[in-house]
Amino acid sequence: VAYHGGWVVADAAANSLLQVSSSGKIHLLARFPAVSETAPAGVLGPNPVTVKAQAVPTSIAVGPDGALYVGLLRGVPSVPGTAYIYRVVPGHQPKIWAHGLTAVTAIAFDRHGRLLATEYSTGGLLSPPTTPGALVRISHNGHTVTALPVKGLFQPTGVATGRDGSVYVSNYGGSTAKATHPGEILKISGLG
């Protein structure tokens, strides 16, 4: 995203947030820590397994307050409810702003200053590909995550908002042009 005369970039492989100046100079803004997470029996083997699940930044939005909001999906085992949205103010430690999300792929603020997020799969990354995704709204204080009544979301990977209140979601983001259901952009109205 454009930010303070340059850009801010999510580096998913390094679990970090980078600031890039207009001249191309790169500065580390934040690094997001891995968290111990237990995969239930049957996910990574016959018994429960505890792993360090990576904090993978997938999306950035500039909030109405000027802070950066960063959507993260939790790496394998990607248990439902373990993804976060961080609030980042340059020069300060990143803080978890919202939790209880699952496999966040994209975030955007709507015209009322509320944060929307797409969840790739409500069952986590290791769930069957027929598991639906979701579009959620997070309250102004980050404490409440509400699933919005949008049917037919599968592997949503992007979200944008229009001035008229419409929300645009890229759907079937893991599909290819040759898939039985190729990717599409949905226009969603009437969410309030």
Side-chain angles (χ1 to χ4, degrees):
V1 297
Y3 193 69
H4 293 271
W7 300 270
V8 174
V9 179
D11 184 346
N15 303 338
S16 60
L17 196 63
L18 306 173
Q19 188 164 20
V20 181
S21 72
S22 59
S23 65
K25 184 176 178 181
I26 299 172
H27 172 74
L28 177 68
L29 280 180
R31 188 171 312 275
F32 305 103
V35 175
S36 292
E37 190 173 305
T38 301
V43 173
L44 297 175
N47 300 311
V49 177
T50 300
V51 299
K52 283 287 194 179
Q54 299 297 308
V56 182
T58 57
S59 49
I60 308 163
V62 179
D65 60 355
L68 297 162
Y69 290 79
V70 182
L72 301 173
L73 62 79
R74 188 63 61 196
V76 171
S78 182
V79 175
T82 60
Y84 302 140
I85 294 177
Y86 275 87
R87 183 176 182 272
V88 178
V89 175
H92 297 84
Q93 287 287 9
K95 302 232 185 252
I96 295 172
W97 179 74
H99 57 85
L101 295 109
T102 302
V104 173
T105 52
I107 60 174
F109 282 91
D110 69 12
R111 64 183 177 164
H112 301 293
R114 300 171 300 190
L115 191 62
L116 301 173
T118 52
E119 295 179 320
Y120 189 79
S121 171
T122 57
L125 294 179
L126 298 179
S127 63
T130 55
T131 305
L135 177 65
V136 300
R137 181 183 294 139
I138 298 108
S139 63
H140 287 288
N141 61 10
H143 295 167
T144 305
V145 176
T146 303
L148 297 174
V150 179
K151 303 254 188 250
L153 292 181
F154 291 92
Q155 303 170 348
T157 54
V159 63
T161 59
R163 290 186 180 136
D164 66 352
S166 295
V167 176
Y168 299 86
V169 174
S170 61
N171 203 26
Y172 292 98
S175 298
T176 66
K178 294 181 181 180
T180 56
H181 200 303
E184 62 189 5
I185 303 292
L186 301 176
K187 180 179 180 180
I188 303 162
S189 301
L191 293 176

